[in-house]
Amino acid sequence: MILLIVIGIVPSVIVENVLVRRYETRAVSQRTVIVKNQCDTILDEMTAEKYLDDPNNEVLNREFGVLTNIYGGRILVINRNGQVISDTFNMDTGKYSLSQEVVQCLNGQESSLYDDDNHYIEITRAIRDPESADPKAVQGVFLISVSTMEIQNSRGELARMGLLILAVVIVMILVLGYILSGLFVRPFKTITSEIEGITDGYQNEKIHVDTYQETELISDAFNRMLARVRSVDDSREEFVSNVSHELKTPLASMKVLADSLNMDPNAPLEQYKEFMTDISAEIDRENRIITDLLDLVKLDKKASNLNIEETNINEELEHIVKRLTPIADKANVKLILDSFRPITAEIDETKLTLAFTNIIENAIKYNKPEGGWIRISLNADRKYFFVTIADSGIGIPQEDIDHIFERFYRVDKSHSREIGGTGLGLAITKSTIVMHRGAIRVTSKVGEGTTFSIRIPLIYVA
């Protein structure tokens, strides 16, 4: 509304001032032209009557009086010597007048001057010798001062009318602005009301206000945000459910085993040892789940700082391969490391090593039963280093690829239970890579294998 008022009023004020000023300029210009024309007529008569030689010419003096009465002015006739020979006010007759305008006119340079402060026009006209061939031969000066009070009065009246019109315009703009602002703001009030009306049970609620393009864009943006909130809420509920299930499963197994021992006090020592071994394994499984959950919590915290150090990536991957080779040999899987160039980068060695280890361990677990392989490739350009981990494993269905980094997500739950793991490894891996300002991409084909492509900046930028 304020913008509307400014846009409406400021131009009106400018136009009003311009019109008044233009009227004054035009009126003064017209008055000057008229007076000059009348002066030329009188000058012709003065030359014919040789007024400079006989300033007591009654006819011309009456004309001087009529002209000054019409315009409320004054006429001075000045001879070549600068002496006033005629004054309609009878004040300066016989005196000398050598003002700048008079001197210039005696030299052939006529002038007209508008005095805005004192409200008069002063015009000097040269009285020339008609018998002289020299156009600059000036015998005297005809100086007339014309009042512009009439013009000033008209200007003031016009200014008052302009102010009145301006006031009417301002009132109309205020009324129109108030009406239009109500019309413009109403859709936004509707959006605000609908947003405030959305309660905790918002799962199926949306807002839709398409009065203007802006309100439609706001509605669409809010609905997208609401959809993301719903998705986050669904993920949170699913995560809580998965955590509860994952933690409950080992406890249930331990309870069954412990109840079996309690119900059979005469159980043989071998069975007792077997059950206690299973209970110990379930405790270890529970501990791994809790440890991974704590790692995820730490990674999720924005305040969690990376311990960034310049690290030899080639050596780190060699250590990982060396540490996992016994596990790979046991599964009859061959580990291959291809390093194309020496690479050092600014990373958190512990966290990134864990991320690479999680991917390679999964590749070992889900590889072919016999003759499988895992190829780890390391390369770099001027900005990033690239790690590719490809395997000959069972592969991942296309519909599951977008979900493998979700917490507790398993492609084949029954097979995963047999292999072990917490379902949190890839979630931890992605969080770590993202914290390094990196990216991870997965391609896979069922029955042929999976490839993880990782890109991480050589220089860490916080």
Side-chain angles (χ1 to χ4, degrees), residues 92-223:
D92 293 333
T93 303
K95 296 180 181 180
Y96 288 86
S97 177
L98 295 173
S99 65
Q100 181 179 355
E101 291 77 12
V102 171
V103 173
Q104 290 177 346
C105 189
L106 289 172
N107 292 325
Q109 185 177 348
E110 299 176 333
S111 65
S112 61
L113 170 68
Y114 173 53
D115 190 331
D116 189 17
D117 295 330
N118 297 310
H119 312 304
Y120 70 89
I121 302 171
E122 184 180 88
I123 301 172
T124 59
R125 305 293 285 173
I127 304 173
R128 304 182 186 278
D129 183 0
E131 298 178 358
S132 175
D134 185 5
K136 294 185 178 180
V138 179
Q139 293 180 321
V141 176
F142 185 85
L143 187 151
I144 181 170
S145 299
V146 178
S147 174
T148 59
M149 287 302 299
E150 180 184 349
I151 296 175
Q152 292 300 318
N153 293 335
S154 298
R155 180 182 183 275
E157 185 64 26
L158 184 62
R160 284 190 291 274
M161 291 180 61
L163 289 175
L164 179 60
I165 295 173
L166 182 60
V168 173
V169 170
I170 291 174
V171 172
M172 291 179 62
I173 289 175
L174 290 174
V175 173
L176 183 62
Y178 179 78
I179 295 173
L180 291 179
S181 65
L183 293 176
F184 290 154
V185 172
R186 187 178 302 164
F188 294 97
K189 288 183 178 178
T190 302
I191 289 179
T192 303
S193 177
E194 292 194 15
I195 291 175
E196 291 175 349
I198 293 179
T199 60
D200 291 338
Y202 55 70
Q203 280 74 9
N204 297 317
E205 295 187 37
K206 286 185 177 180
I207 65 172
H208 185 68
V209 181
D210 58 355
T211 310
Y212 310 125
Q213 182 180 4
E214 291 78 7
T215 56
E216 186 175 3
L217 292 173
I218 292 173
S219 299
D220 293 341
F222 182 80
N223 289 332

Side-chain angles (χ1 to χ4, degrees), residues 399-433:
E399 62 270 16
D400 292 317
I401 288 180
D402 292 337
H403 303 284
I404 61 174
F405 294 108
E406 296 176 6
R407 299 165 186 186
F408 295 113
Y409 186 85
R410 300 176 191 273
V411 177
D412 184 349
K413 291 182 172 56
S414 59
H415 188 54
S416 298
R417 297 289 183 198
E418 295 173 2
I419 294 176
T422 64
L424 297 171
L426 289 181
I428 293 173
T429 296
K430 184 172 183 179
S431 295
T432 300
I433 292 172

Side-chain angles (χ1 to χ4, degrees), residues 25-68:
T25 302
R26 184 175 177 82
V28 168
S29 176
Q30 290 178 341
R31 177 66 58 83
T32 302
V33 171
I34 293 172
V35 172
K36 281 184 177 180
N37 291 336
Q38 292 178 338
C39 288
D40 290 341
T41 302
I42 292 177
L43 286 173
D44 290 340
E45 294 182 19
M46 290 175 64
T47 302
E49 296 293 334
K50 297 183 178 181
Y51 183 83
L52 292 178
D53 296 332
D54 183 16
N56 295 318
N57 189 306
E58 293 183 2
V59 175
L60 287 174
N61 287 334
R62 273 200 302 271
E63 289 185 14
F64 294 166
V66 171
L67 188 61
T68 55

Side-chain angles (χ1 to χ4, degrees), residues 271-287:
Q271 183 182 2
Y272 183 84
K273 288 182 178 181
E274 180 184 352
F275 281 16
M276 291 302 295
T277 300
D278 291 340
I279 290 174
S280 178
E282 292 298 329
I283 291 173
D284 290 339
R285 173 175 162 75
E286 186 95 1
N287 185 58

